């Protein structure tokens, strides 16, 4: 019933007329280049064709996929893997057009499957709690402002679907390892966790912050199963772990051009923007003080709008890009804690927003770009307008959740199932925490709400788990006082 309701909600959001999507803000080219996609000839030759910002483009021509080098395919984002698979199926059926609705359909299958597996193998015995979790999951995780991204070439849907797949793989493993004690059948469970981790880490560049946490989780997985037999030999584990590490690191190295833009934004549109002492800030970062003339500018303006330091120019390369580094940014914020707190306060004000200003409907439906989206968006609307968008609120919520989980962990020393699930909960929560400072520290005030997409999704996971746990405790208390005739 849950799966049926989830599918019906997804169909209503994504496939009922007019089919919505999300317009390209300039992110699609790097995905298309490594996925064998290009604009259709009729779109290229149409003088009225609008590609960016206002209207979603949902149909693309599949180019000769075989021309892509093997190295390019391996170094592509995990989204490109899925696109290539769909493209091969299209070509096998004699069709050379790729539609993002095919991609949306694949996302729906993965997403609902992962949600279903997660809930099923939590093995909740209390029926009211189970029903409560199912309904809450439909309300929160099937929100229209999450699903509308599925019909696009953005990395956000790949990021949240593969994270949910990663969670499902762990819940599936914990159930079989500690509830059924089926230690002789764990080979497939290991493989599922590694595959899900691989695709999650490769979904977007920003997910690289989760790499240390996932490495710790995988090493812990090996450690608690090292006595199970030769299938878990160290060399095999080391090989799989090397792939997990090398892939996202290589992905970030390949996308250096994007990194240059984020570096520019992090300083000029972050540290220097609204700074009372921009010259001193530059000196503190060992940069030329005359760069202060570009304070408050991001990397996407026209050349005429810059005084001297134009992004990607030779002088900017020599005086800025070659001198700045992530370590310098981190050092700056460590030595200027007040600036860091102000930046986090700004980030908090951008949190809980999963909607976007980009166009949602095709031009054939409306000549005026429609940027609002209101199909099953009750949860995202409630969250955006009712929850306090403040750093203090986030600190209070996470302090309470962490304290409660620590107490529960301490009380469950003998219960490996509960302990393992709490460890998984902590890991996902920590991944979300690391996502929070990244938009501002790494990209200034550019596109903050969009880069908080994963943080918002994980916040929803934390909230759903916490509220469901509170509900289960309430049911237990009610049952204790139930009068039996």
């Amino acid at each position: 019933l849950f799966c049926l309701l989830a599918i019906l909600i997804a169909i209503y959001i994504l496939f009922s007329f007019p089919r919505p999507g999300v317009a390209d803000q300039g992110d699609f080219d790097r995905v298309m280049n490594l996925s064998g996609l290009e604009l259709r000839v009729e779109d290229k030759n149409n003088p009225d064709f609008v590609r960016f910002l206002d209207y979603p483009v949902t149909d693309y021509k599949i180019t000769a996929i075989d021309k892509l080098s093997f190295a390019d395919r391996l170094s592509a984002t995990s989204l490109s893997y899925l696109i290539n698979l769909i493209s091969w199926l299209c070509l096998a059926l004699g069709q050379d057009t790729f539609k993002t609705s095919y991609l949306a359909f694949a996302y729906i299958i993965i997403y609902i499957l992962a949600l279903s597996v997660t809930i099923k193998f939590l093995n909740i015995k209390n029926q009211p709690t189970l029903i409560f979790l199912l309904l809450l999951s439909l309300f929160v995780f099937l929100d229209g402002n999450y699903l509308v991204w599925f019909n696009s070439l953005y990395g956000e849907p790949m990021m949240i679907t593969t994270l949910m797949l990663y969670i499902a793989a762990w819940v599936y493993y914990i159930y079989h390892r500690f509830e059924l004690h089926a230690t002789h059948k764990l080979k497939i469970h290991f493989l599922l966790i590694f595959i899900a981790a691989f695709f999650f880490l490769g979904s977007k560049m920003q997910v690289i912050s989760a790499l240390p946490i996932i490495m710790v989780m995988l090493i812990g997985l090996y450690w608690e199963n090292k006595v199970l037999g030769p299938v878990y030999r160290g060399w095999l584990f080391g090989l799989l772990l090397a792939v997990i590490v090398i892939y996202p690191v290589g992905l970030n190295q390949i996308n250096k051009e994007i990194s240059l833009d984020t570096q520019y934004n992090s300083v000029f549109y972050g540290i220097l923007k609204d700074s009372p002492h921009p010259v001193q800030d530059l000196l503190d970062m060992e940069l030329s003080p005359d760069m202060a003339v570009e304070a408050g500018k991001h990397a996407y303006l026209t050349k005429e709008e810059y005084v001297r330091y134009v992004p990607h120019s030779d002088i900017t390369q020599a005086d800025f890009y070659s001198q700045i580094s992530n370590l310098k940014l981190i050092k700056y914020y460590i030595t200027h804690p007040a600036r860091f707190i102000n930046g986090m306060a700004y980030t908090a004000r951008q949190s809980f927003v999963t909607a976007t200003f980009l166009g949602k409907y095709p031009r054939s439906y409306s000549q005026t770009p429609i940027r609002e989206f209101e199909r099953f968006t009750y949860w995202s609307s409630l969250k955006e307008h009712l929850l306090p968008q403040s750093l203090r609120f986030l600190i209070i919520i996470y302090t309470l959740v962490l304290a409660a989980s620590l107490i529960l962990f301490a009380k469950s020393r003998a219960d490996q199932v509960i302990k393992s699930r709490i460890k998984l909960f902590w890991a996902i929560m920590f991944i979300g925490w690391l996502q929070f400072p990244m938009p501002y520290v790494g990209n200034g005030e550019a596109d903050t709400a969009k880069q908080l997409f994963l943080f918002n999704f994980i916040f929803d996971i934390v909230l759903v788990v916490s509220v469901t746990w509170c509900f289960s405790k309430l049911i237990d208390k009610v049952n204790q006082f139930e009068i039996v005739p």
Side-chain angles (χ1 to χ4, degrees):
L1 182 59
F2 170 81
C3 290
L4 178 61
L5 289 172
I7 290 170
L8 290 175
I9 292 171
I11 289 173
Y12 164 68
I13 292 170
L14 291 171
F15 296 105
S16 60
F17 179 84
R19 291 185 180 180
V22 182
D24 183 7
Q25 68 170 21
D27 291 2
F28 289 4
D29 275 334
R30 61 179 178 270
V31 174
M32 293 165 61
N33 291 338
L34 290 174
S35 305
L37 301 181
E38 63 180 25
L39 293 176
R40 297 182 306 166
V41 175
E42 51 265 45
D43 289 333
K44 291 179 181 179
N45 296 334
N46 184 358
D48 297 323
F49 176 68
V50 178
R51 180 182 175 187
F52 299 109
L53 302 179
D54 293 337
Y55 309 99
V57 179
T58 58
D59 292 9
Y60 298 87
K61 177 179 172 52
I62 302 172
T63 60
I65 299 176
D66 293 338
K67 291 182 179 179
L68 293 174
S69 70
F70 184 70
D72 284 340
R73 292 183 194 176
L74 289 180
S75 61
T77 65
S78 53
L79 169 57
S80 296
Y81 288 32
L82 185 56
I83 292 174
N84 276 318
L85 175 61
I86 296 171
S87 296
W88 282 325
L89 290 173
C90 289
L91 293 175
L93 296 173
Q95 181 178 334
D96 66 351
T97 299
F98 177 93
K99 297 178 182 289
T100 55
S101 57
Y102 303 156
L103 189 59
F105 181 74
Y107 282 140
I108 289 171
I109 293 174
I110 297 169
Y111 192 56
I112 295 177
L113 175 65
L115 279 169
S116 303
V117 168
T118 300
I119 296 172
K120 176 179 174 60
F121 288 98
L122 284 175
N123 199 25
I124 298 173
K125 302 272 195 306
N126 186 293
Q127 191 172 12
T129 300
L130 177 59
I131 293 172
F132 179 82
L133 175 58
L134 290 170
L135 294 176
L136 190 60
S137 297
L138 288 172
F139 184 66
V140 173
F141 298 126
L142 274 295
D143 186 88
N145 279 325
Y146 283 138
L147 265 58
V148 72
W149 293 85
F150 285 19
N151 195 20
S152 74
L153 296 182
Y154 285 105
E156 277 73 11
M158 190 69 180
M159 187 166 56
I160 65 172
T161 53
T162 51
L163 173 62
M164 191 54 71
L165 198 63
Y166 182 67
I167 294 170
W170 268 100
V171 171
Y172 185 65
Y173 158 76
I174 292 168
Y175 173 78
H176 287 86
R177 176 69 172 86
F178 297 112
E179 288 201 57
L180 295 186
H181 302 286
T183 54
H184 60 290
K185 296 180 179 178
L186 287 178
K187 184 176 180 180
I188 184 64
H189 304 78
F190 268 60
L191 188 60
L192 289 173
I193 289 173
F194 271 93
I195 291 173
F198 177 86
F199 283 109
F200 172 58
L201 289 169
S203 59
K204 273 182 73 73
M205 289 173 58
Q206 71 184 76
V207 183
I208 196 172
S209 65
L211 181 58
I213 296 172
I214 289 180
M215 283 181 63
V216 170
M217 295 176 75
L218 295 177
I219 291 171
L221 177 70
Y222 172 75
W223 184 259
E224 71 183 17
N225 292 284
K226 65 177 183 176
V227 298
L228 294 183
V231 72
Y232 304 109
R233 290 187 189 279
W235 66 266
L236 178 59
F237 170 81
L239 177 63
L240 291 172
L241 192 62
V243 172
I244 292 294
V245 173
I246 292 171
Y247 176 49
V249 172
L251 188 64
N252 277 258
Q253 288 297 314
I254 289 167
N255 290 279
K256 283 185 177 179
E257 288 299 310
I258 304 170
S259 298
L260 295 180
D261 289 343
T262 58
Q263 284 181 336
Y264 194 96
N265 293 336
S266 65
V267 174
F268 295 101
Y269 204 56
I271 292 173
L272 302 185
K273 187 177 184 294
D274 303 324
S275 170
H277 310 291
V279 172
Q280 186 59 51
D281 289 334
L282 288 163
L283 291 172
D284 291 344
M285 289 183 286
E286 301 175 10
L287 296 173
S288 174
D290 67 347
M291 292 183 187
V293 295
E294 311 293 3
K297 298 176 184 177
H298 53 73
Y300 310 113
L301 302 173
T302 60
K303 289 184 179 180
E304 293 74 22
E305 296 179 78
Y306 302 97
V307 177
R308 186 181 185 191
Y309 293 94
V310 180
H312 305 282
S313 65
D314 292 339
I315 187 173
T316 307
Q317 176 62 46
D319 295 352
F320 177 72
Y321 293 127
S322 63
Q323 303 298 319
I324 196 64
S325 67
N326 291 333
L327 289 178
K328 281 190 175 181
L329 290 173
I330 294 171
K331 180 183 176 182
Y332 174 85
Y333 282 113
I334 290 174
T335 55
H336 298 75
R339 295 297 303 280
F340 179 75
I341 292 172
N342 288 338
M344 294 305 94
Y346 166 81
T347 303
R349 292 194 296 272
Q350 306 300 310
S351 61
F352 306 148
V353 179
T354 50
T356 172
F357 71 94
L358 299 166
K360 304 298 188 303
Y361 294 101
R363 194 171 187 177
S364 59
Y365 173 70
S366 173
Q367 289 295 314
T368 303
I370 300 176
R371 306 184 187 281
E372 295 76 23
F373 188 67
E374 297 178 346
R375 289 186 185 176
F376 203 72
T377 56
Y378 309 112
W379 166 242
S380 56
S381 180
L382 283 172
K383 186 169 65 169
E384 182 178 349
H385 295 103
L386 293 184
L387 294 186
Q389 293 170 295
S390 70
L391 193 58
R392 179 179 299 177
F393 173 75
L394 290 172
I395 291 172
I396 290 172
I397 289 294
Y398 277 113
T399 300
L400 291 174
V401 170
L402 187 59
S405 61
L406 283 168
I407 293 170
L408 182 60
F409 187 86
K411 289 181 177 180
S412 307
R413 292 179 181 176
D415 194 328
Q416 285 293 334
V417 175
I418 293 178
K419 286 175 62 178
S420 296
R421 288 175 181 166
I422 292 175
K423 288 178 184 177
L424 174 61
F425 179 70
W426 285 341
I428 301 305
M429 189 164 59
F430 292 155
I431 289 173
W433 287 357
L434 290 176
Q435 286 292 309
F436 186 75
M438 280 187 63
Y440 188 84
V441 173
N443 204 25
E445 294 185 11
D447 216 12
T448 305
K450 182 173 179 289
Q451 292 191 46
L452 285 173
F453 197 81
L454 183 57
F455 168 81
N456 285 323
F457 185 72
I458 291 176
F459 179 85
D460 284 353
I461 293 175
V462 171
L463 209 59
V464 167
V465 171
S466 303
V467 171
T468 303
W469 180 79
C470 291
F471 182 84
S472 70
K473 297 294 113 179
L474 178 63
I475 293 297
D476 289 343
K477 291 293 183 183
V478 170
N479 290 337
Q480 285 178 9
F481 293 100
E482 184 177 327
I483 299 174
V484 179

